[in-house]
């Protein structure tokens, strides 16, 4: 997540530091089973010296979910704020032990917000915006293939306008490293115009095909 710092209420701690408290409530619901998972957490963000009001507060949350199709709602608020901010993700699929792809994490080199789940630290781009000619860092997982199984990956980026003359498409053959195969890639954006694009990853193995996509935004530097 990324939150603009400017409109947030800042408090002064006992030691004089400037602290921004934000309350997060995450509710996940799986319709078929009726399962509900709830996370309530208060995060205290300490502003570094020289922080600008136009900067963003960023971080990440984890929610363990079982297999199924989930709807995940997130609400952020501060003391006395009865409205806050709200986000909703529908159709989030957590697969069984069969061929599947996780959601795609998108990042940018040197980001201060790093997701530690890959054991190295993935540099998240919480705003989802890249400069024209820049590079998108990617992380995703391929599930359900035994160690050593060959599979084909197609990575495609195309403008949401549907123009195919500005499309980027990469195809590669890889081998699974176990039931969960982590993948990191870097994708150069030098051939893409400014605007909104769909990034799609497709995996094919033994007649089975699975895909996942997410939006990326390219802007003029």
């Amino acid at each position: 997540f990324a939150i603009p710092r400017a409109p947030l209420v800042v408090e002064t701690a006992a030691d004089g530091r400037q602290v921004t408290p934000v309350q997060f409530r995450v509710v996940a619901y799986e319709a078929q089973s009726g399962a509900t998972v709830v996370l309530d957490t208060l995060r205290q963000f300490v502003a570094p010296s020289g922080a600008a009001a136009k900067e963003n507060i960023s971080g990440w949350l984890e929610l363990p979910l079982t297999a199924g199709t989930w709807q995940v709602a997130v609400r952020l608020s501060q003391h006395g704020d009865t409205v806050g901010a709200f986000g909703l993700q529908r159709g989030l699929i957590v697969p069984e032990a069969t061929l599947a792809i996780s959601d795609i994490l998108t990042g940018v080199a040197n980001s201060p917000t790093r997701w530690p789940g890959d054991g190295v630290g993935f540099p998240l781009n919480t705003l989802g915006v890249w400069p024209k000619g820049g590079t998108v860092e990617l992380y995703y997982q391929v599930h359900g293939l035994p160690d050593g199984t060959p599979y084909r990956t197609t990575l495609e980026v195309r403008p949401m306008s549907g123009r195919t003359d500005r499309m980027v498409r990469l195809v590669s053959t890889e081998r699974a490293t176990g039931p969960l195969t982590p993948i990191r890639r870097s994708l150069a954006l030098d051939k893409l115009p400014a605007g909104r694009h769909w990034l799609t990853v497709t995996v094919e193995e033994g007649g089975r095909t699975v895909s996942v996509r997410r939006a990326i935004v390219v802007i003029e530097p």
Side-chain angles (χ1 to χ4, degrees):
F1 59 84
I3 314 167
R5 184 189 300 276
L8 297 178
V9 175
V10 179
E11 302 176 353
T12 301
D15 59 4
R17 294 185 302 168
Q18 298 297 298
V19 179
T20 303
V22 180
Q23 181 71 42
F24 293 83
R25 179 174 176 82
V26 185
V27 179
Y29 173 69
E30 209 285 312
Q32 185 171 356
S33 65
T36 301
V37 179
V38 180
L39 171 66
D40 281 300
T41 180
L42 174 66
R43 295 291 180 89
Q44 307 263 11
F45 300 94
V46 179
S49 59
K54 65 179 180 180
E55 293 180 351
N56 294 283
I57 292 173
S58 61
W60 53 275
L61 301 169
E62 284 190 355
L63 198 67
L65 302 177
T66 56
T69 301
W70 294 80
Q71 174 175 288
V72 181
V74 182
R75 181 174 181 269
L76 293 71
S77 61
Q78 287 192 293
H79 302 307
D81 182 359
T82 58
V83 179
F86 183 80
L88 179 65
Q89 172 69 54
R90 293 188 175 92
L92 177 63
I93 299 175
V94 179
E96 297 280 0
T98 185
L99 180 63
I101 310 175
S102 71
D103 193 10
I104 306 170
L105 293 184
T106 50
V108 60
N110 303 318
S111 169
T113 304
R114 305 186 74 86
W115 176 67
D118 66 347
V120 178
F122 182 79
L124 292 170
N125 184 345
T126 51
L127 296 180
V129 175
W130 288 263
K132 186 177 178 181
T135 300
V136 179
E137 302 296 329
L138 305 175
Y139 176 88
Y140 60 91
Q141 298 169 347
V142 177
H143 295 255
L145 295 178
D147 187 12
T149 303
Y151 64 93
R152 188 172 80 160
T153 299
T154 302
L155 193 154
E156 184 178 275
V157 184
R158 67 169 64 206
M160 290 186 182
S161 64
R163 289 184 60 181
T164 58
D165 59 323
R166 297 296 184 90
M167 181 179 70
V168 176
R169 191 169 188 265
L170 303 174
V171 179
S172 61
T173 300
E174 302 165 273
R175 288 187 179 274
T177 58
L180 186 156
T181 300
I183 304 294
R184 287 185 71 150
R185 293 283 186 270
S186 296
L187 177 65
L189 302 175
D190 53 302
K191 295 183 179 180
L192 294 178
R196 296 178 61 84
H197 304 264
W198 284 121
L199 166 65
T200 304
V201 176
T202 301
V203 169
E204 301 171 81
E205 189 280 326
R208 299 178 293 174
T209 301
V210 291
S211 296
V212 65
R213 76 175 184 178
R214 71 171 303 162
I216 63 172
V217 179
V218 179
I219 61 174
E220 295 289 347

